[in-house]
Amino acid sequence: MNRLFFPDHKKAILFDMNDTLVDRQQSRELHFTELLRDYTGRWSAPPEFSPEHVYARYMAEQKKRAGKSITLQDKQACLKAALTPYGFPVTDRWMKQFFQEWRKSRARPAALYPHVRDTLRELVKHYMLGIVSNSPRRNVQAQLEKLRLTDVFPPDRVFCSKKGAYRKPQPAMFHHVLSQLKLKPGEAVMVGDSWKNDISGSVKLGIDTVWLQTSAARPGLRRIGKTRVAVIQEFRQLRNLFLPGG
């Protein structure tokens, strides 16, 4: 894809956090398997035991319950079913403790998508970078600190929804961001994975957008009315859109 954006016209690139920079699915799986490996280390595991296979079975059991609200008891039943083939002495007390620890692990560093860190380091040399997220600010800020990205996204460029006030895709959220950064809509580009929250919400204010869609057949352009939307499959393709020589 040819370059679309230049620093003499665009001053800032705004990013969604979860599922744009951070791979939440990989983060959940990584924390699950690490915790399970630690918990089962005291047991005599059969040769075929694999925490990764247990996680896959656990998720498969959850899919069987799709369409209904999943309770803690449901999750425990899914984990028990995933562990049954290995003959571990799984008890309700053990599973309750496991899920408590898994929830706590969310405060640990998340997994970035491939090429996120090096691409951001290149982009920040030419553009102001910011975060626009519907997640609580304390969570976003904690993740940025643990990921060592606060120099790329300083606190005054991290914008999060406020309960009862605004959130994506509401225009007020984007108005607030532009106002704080002293930008006109045409001077910013929003990058995100959600068509509703990141793309259509920005376009309504005249902000150009890049849609990160990993399932796209190829990078290219889509349109909302007369407005074009750049579509990329992976994060490093942003270099082609924003940097000289791609």
Side-chain angles (χ1 to χ4, degrees):
M1 186 184 299
N2 296 327
R3 188 175 182 187
L4 294 179
F5 308 114
F6 300 84
D8 52 344
H9 298 295
K10 300 297 181 184
K11 295 182 179 179
I13 309 174
L14 309 172
F15 294 91
D16 173 51
M17 186 76 174
N18 290 323
D19 298 321
T20 299
L21 302 180
V22 171
D23 185 343
R24 287 193 296 179
Q25 178 58 35
Q26 183 183 346
S27 300
R28 284 192 292 264
E29 180 176 354
L30 178 63
H31 297 157
F32 180 101
T33 55
E34 286 181 347
L35 184 61
L36 184 61
R37 189 174 286 108
D38 182 52
Y39 265 72
T40 57
R42 70 199 72 173
W43 297 333
S44 179
E48 67 274 15
F49 172 68
S50 164
E52 290 74 20
H53 290 166
V54 173
Y55 181 79
R57 289 193 179 111
Y58 169 76
M59 295 304 297
E61 289 293 328
Q62 277 208 10
K63 286 183 180 179
K64 295 178 184 178
R65 294 165 170 76
K68 61 176 258 186
S69 178
I70 303 295
T71 65
L72 177 59
Q73 288 71 29
D74 290 327
K75 294 177 181 179
Q76 290 176 345
C78 292
L79 180 57
K80 187 172 184 178
L83 287 170
T84 294
Y86 302 106
F88 291 138
V90 176
T91 64
D92 289 344
R93 180 179 178 183
W94 180 90
M95 288 189 293
K96 182 178 180 180
Q97 186 177 9
F98 179 88
F99 281 105
Q100 287 175 342
E101 291 300 318
W102 193 23
R103 281 195 297 273
K104 290 179 183 177
S105 73
R106 294 175 185 173
R108 294 163 56 190
L112 293 173
Y113 277 109
H115 311 293
V116 166
R117 189 180 302 279
D118 54 342
T119 300
L120 290 175
R121 296 290 179 195
E122 288 298 316
L123 291 173
V124 77
K125 297 175 183 177
H126 305 272
Y127 302 88
M128 178 194 308
L129 305 186
I131 296 287
V132 184
S133 174
N134 280 341
S135 297
R137 182 182 179 86
R138 64 180 181 276
N139 294 356
V140 173
Q141 198 64 54
Q143 288 287 19
L144 291 172
E145 290 172 2
K146 291 171 182 176
L147 291 166
R148 302 189 304 278
L149 288 175
T150 52
D151 58 326
V152 175
F153 300 109
D156 61 344
R157 296 182 197 161
V158 176
F159 303 94
C160 298
S161 60
K162 292 187 178 181
K163 189 174 181 179
Y166 45 71
R167 62 187 290 112
K168 296 183 298 184
Q170 294 172 351
M173 179 71 166
F174 297 101
H175 275 304
H176 172 71
V177 173
L178 295 175
S179 174
Q180 292 298 305
L181 295 178
K182 296 179 173 54
L183 295 173
K184 299 175 182 177
E187 295 175 328
V189 180
M190 179 71 200
V191 179
D193 71 296
S194 171
W195 183 265
K196 175 184 177 182
N197 291 336
D198 303 316
I199 307 307
S200 63
S202 301
V203 166
K204 289 176 182 177
L205 267 71
I207 301 172
D208 282 328
T209 57
V210 179
W211 188 29
L212 176 60
Q213 183 69 3
T214 56
S215 62
R218 60 182 179 275
L221 294 173
R222 291 186 59 170
R223 290 191 177 276
I224 301 180
K226 295 182 179 180
T227 304
R228 63 185 182 181
V229 176
V231 181
I232 59 174
Q233 302 161 293
E234 53 182 351
F235 201 85
R236 62 180 170 183
Q237 291 170 343
L238 289 174
R239 298 179 184 185
N240 299 332
L241 297 176
F242 287 95
L243 299 176

